[in-house]
């Protein structure tokens, strides 16, 4: 039986990935540092739920991955086959306030992960990147072949750095690595700092919801099950060295190394205004809205191109915001009450 390490297991995506893997009968070690960027009780409840549902296939350790000694010890004590690295300091807007936290959790911690992948000869490292790396790129949909060398927040800069760090280690030490650029993930057990969670809470409290860019954002809202389904397939689809790579016309997502970058999105972008209408419909309540101008660091429009990903996964199922928002609100009302 293969053993998986899922970092950020108490986080939104890490929780769902761990749950799916254990249901498939795999052994999962989950780690998280339980930082207080948002409500730690939600993170603890995710882990409690995982332990109940996993049929003893899940073990959890509280661990700060920026601690190189403890991270090395984790790898030494466990013979991991696959690493799914989802731990990171998230949040575009928060990176404007606390960039030093992103340095610690997104760069130092990531180095410790790839260094131990080298030492212990891991079969495949799959790691989270973000659609935010596209930065000043205006051409939509965002293609993995396109340049993304102009991030507009430090959060995106750290994730782009992760991609470059990973490529160097993949090239030097022949470690298979896959970076996934996620597009606006939402769903049950989602993060409280995300728009869907904030809007739902404030609408129920009869408070005004903050809407930036006067509601003119367009987002490739991606339901959590679509993210998880792709990860579960891709972790076993191990990249190989590419003998046909053209060093005179290099593509940004591929290499001579066993390395690749892929988008994971919905491919069907929605106006934020439509997203809000769907929340209103499911809650049976009209939102009170306070509009704001475009915030510094925000990208106005994101659309994913999934061509390269679908060549590998063959997945075409897309969950609409109609179904996705309904599932989230059902969970929200069950977890928090009305």
């Amino acid at each position: 039986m293969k053993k998986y390490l899922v970092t950020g297991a108490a986080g939104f995506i890490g929780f769902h990935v761990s749950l799916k893997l254990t249901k498939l009968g795999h052994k999962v070690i989950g780690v998280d540092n339980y930082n207080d960027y948002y409500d730690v009780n939600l993170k603890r409840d995710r882990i409690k739920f995982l332990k109940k549902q996993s049929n003893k296939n899940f073990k959890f350790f509280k661990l700060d991955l920026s601690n190189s000694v403890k991270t090395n010890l984790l790898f030494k004590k466990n013979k991991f086959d696959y690493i799914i690295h989802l731990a990171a300091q998230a949040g575009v807007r928060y990176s404007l306030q606390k960039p030093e936290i992103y340095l610690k959790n997104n760069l130092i911690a990531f180095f410790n992960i790839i260094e131990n992948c080298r030492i212990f000869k891991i079969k495949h490292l799959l790691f989270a990147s973000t659609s935010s790396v596209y930065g000043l790129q205006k051409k939509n949909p965002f293609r993995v072949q396109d340049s993304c060398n102009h991030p507009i927040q430090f959060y995106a800069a750290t994730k782009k750095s992760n991609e470059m760090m990973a490529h160097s280690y993949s090239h030097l030490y022949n470690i298979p690595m896959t970076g996934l650029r996620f597009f606006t993930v939402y769903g049950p057990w989602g993060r409280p700092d995300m728009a869907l969670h904030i809007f739902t809470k404030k609408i129920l409290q009869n408070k005004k919801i903050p809407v930036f860019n006067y509601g003119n954002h367009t987002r490739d809202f991606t339901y959590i099950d679509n993210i998880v389904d792709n990860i579960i397939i891709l972790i076993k689809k191990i990249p190989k060295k590419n003998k046909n790579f053209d060093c005179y016309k290099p593509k940004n997502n591929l290499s001579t190394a066993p390395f690749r970058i892929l988008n994971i999105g919905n491919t069907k972008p929605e106006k934020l205004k439509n997203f809000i209408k769907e929340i209103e419909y499911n809650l049976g309540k009209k939102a009170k809205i306070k509009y704001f101008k475009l915030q510094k660091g925000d990208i106005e429009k994101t659309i994913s191109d999934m061509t390269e990903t679908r060549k590998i996964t063959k997945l075409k199922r897309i969950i609409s915001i109609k179904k996705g928002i309904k599932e989230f609100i059902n969970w929200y009302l069950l977890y928090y009450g009305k």
Side-chain angles (χ1 to χ4, degrees):
M1 185 179 293
K2 303 300 182 184
K3 186 183 283 188
Y4 293 78
L5 170 64
V6 177
T7 71
F12 174 35
I13 301 176
F15 159 75
H16 280 281
V17 169
S18 299
L19 186 62
K20 183 72 171 183
L21 285 169
T22 56
K23 284 184 176 181
L24 290 171
H26 300 296
K27 295 288 184 182
V28 176
I29 300 287
V31 301
D32 203 287
N33 67 356
Y34 277 151
N35 76 21
D36 61 358
Y37 168 62
Y38 62 81
D39 185 10
V40 176
N41 290 321
L42 176 59
K43 298 181 181 183
R44 294 187 189 281
D45 285 345
R46 288 175 182 143
I47 295 300
K48 285 179 187 176
F49 188 87
L50 265 172
K51 287 179 177 178
K52 287 180 182 178
Q53 298 291 321
S54 66
N55 195 27
K56 297 183 179 180
N57 283 334
F58 178 79
K59 289 184 180 179
F60 177 77
F61 298 101
K62 183 181 177 183
L63 177 66
D64 184 342
L65 293 169
S66 68
N67 185 315
S68 60
V69 174
K70 290 184 178 180
T71 302
N72 178 257
L73 194 60
L74 174 76
F75 275 77
K76 193 175 291 184
K77 286 184 174 181
N78 299 276
K79 303 297 182 183
F80 298 121
D81 296 288
Y82 302 104
I83 312 296
I84 301 176
H85 179 59
L86 302 169
Q89 178 57 58
V92 168
R93 290 166 186 157
Y94 191 62
S95 69
L96 303 178
Q97 304 166 35
K98 299 281 186 179
E100 67 278 6
I101 296 175
Y102 292 75
L103 176 69
K104 175 175 176 281
N105 291 328
N106 295 8
L107 294 178
I108 296 172
F110 189 74
F111 169 74
N112 290 335
I113 289 291
I114 61 174
E115 175 64 3
N116 281 285
C117 285
R118 176 189 70 81
I119 295 168
F120 295 98
K121 296 179 171 54
I122 298 302
K123 290 179 180 177
H124 187 193
L125 167 66
L126 186 149
F127 64 94
S129 188
T130 173
S131 60
S132 295
V133 300
Y134 289 104
L136 291 177
Q137 168 77 269
K138 292 292 185 183
K139 185 175 67 175
N140 268 291
F142 293 151
R143 299 165 65 249
V144 285
Q145 296 93 337
D146 294 335
S147 172
C148 53
N149 293 323
H150 301 89
I152 59 174
Q153 339 89 7
F154 190 61
Y155 164 64
T158 63
K159 301 307 274 184
K160 174 63 177 174
S161 298
N162 286 170
E163 294 178 3
M164 298 172 75
M165 292 162 71
H167 177 263
S168 69
Y169 261 59
S170 179
H171 173 76
L172 288 169
Y173 307 114
N174 196 33
I175 308 168
M177 296 190 183
T178 299
L180 301 180
R181 294 174 180 165
F182 298 140
F183 283 70
T184 316
V185 189
Y186 74 100
W189 296 93
R191 281 169 30 205
D193 63 313
M194 297 294 282
L196 178 54
H197 205 291
I198 293 169
F199 293 170
T200 300
K201 181 179 180 180
K202 287 187 179 294
I203 291 170
L204 287 170
Q205 293 175 338
N206 293 312
K207 294 180 179 178
K208 289 184 177 181
I209 64 172
V211 177
F212 293 93
N213 195 29
Y214 306 102
N216 293 317
H217 275 110
T218 299
R219 286 286 178 269
D220 204 344
F221 294 104
T222 311
Y223 190 66
I224 184 62
D225 287 5
N226 288 140
I227 297 287
V228 173
D229 289 348
N230 278 280
I231 287 175
I232 297 300
I233 291 175
L234 288 168
I235 192 64
K236 292 290 186 72
K237 299 285 187 178
I238 301 174
K240 297 177 181 178
K241 285 187 174 182
N242 184 357
K243 294 178 181 178
N244 297 319
F245 184 78
D246 188 347
C247 293
Y248 292 95
K249 296 178 181 178
K251 292 183 178 180
N252 290 293
N253 61 312
L254 297 172
S255 170
T256 55
F259 173 88
R260 66 189 172 211
I261 297 293
L262 297 168
N263 284 335
I264 308 290
N266 184 34
T267 71
K268 294 183 179 179
E270 296 281 351
K271 286 278 189 182
L272 184 58
K273 291 176 180 177
N274 294 336
F275 197 70
I276 294 169
K277 285 179 182 177
E278 204 60 45
I279 299 170
E280 292 174 326
Y281 173 78
N282 280 276
L283 289 176
K285 291 187 74 172
K286 197 75 176 171
K288 298 175 183 177
I289 301 175
K290 185 174 183 179
Y291 290 107
F292 295 88
K293 65 180 181 180
L294 182 68
Q295 191 170 21
K296 193 175 183 180
D298 270 3
I299 297 174
E300 291 187 63
K301 187 176 184 179
T302 63
I303 308 173
S304 65
D305 180 292
M306 287 274 286
T307 304
E308 299 303 316
T309 309
R310 285 172 175 162
K311 284 179 183 177
I312 301 167
T313 66
K314 311 302 181 188
L315 289 176
K316 292 183 179 179
R317 181 179 74 120
I318 293 295
I319 296 172
S320 69
I321 62 166
K322 188 177 287 291
K323 176 175 169 50
I325 290 174
K326 182 180 180 180
E327 291 294 325
F328 170 82
I329 288 176
N330 287 342
W331 166 80
Y332 184 97
L333 295 175
L334 190 65
Y335 182 80
Y336 290 102
K338 295 183 180 181

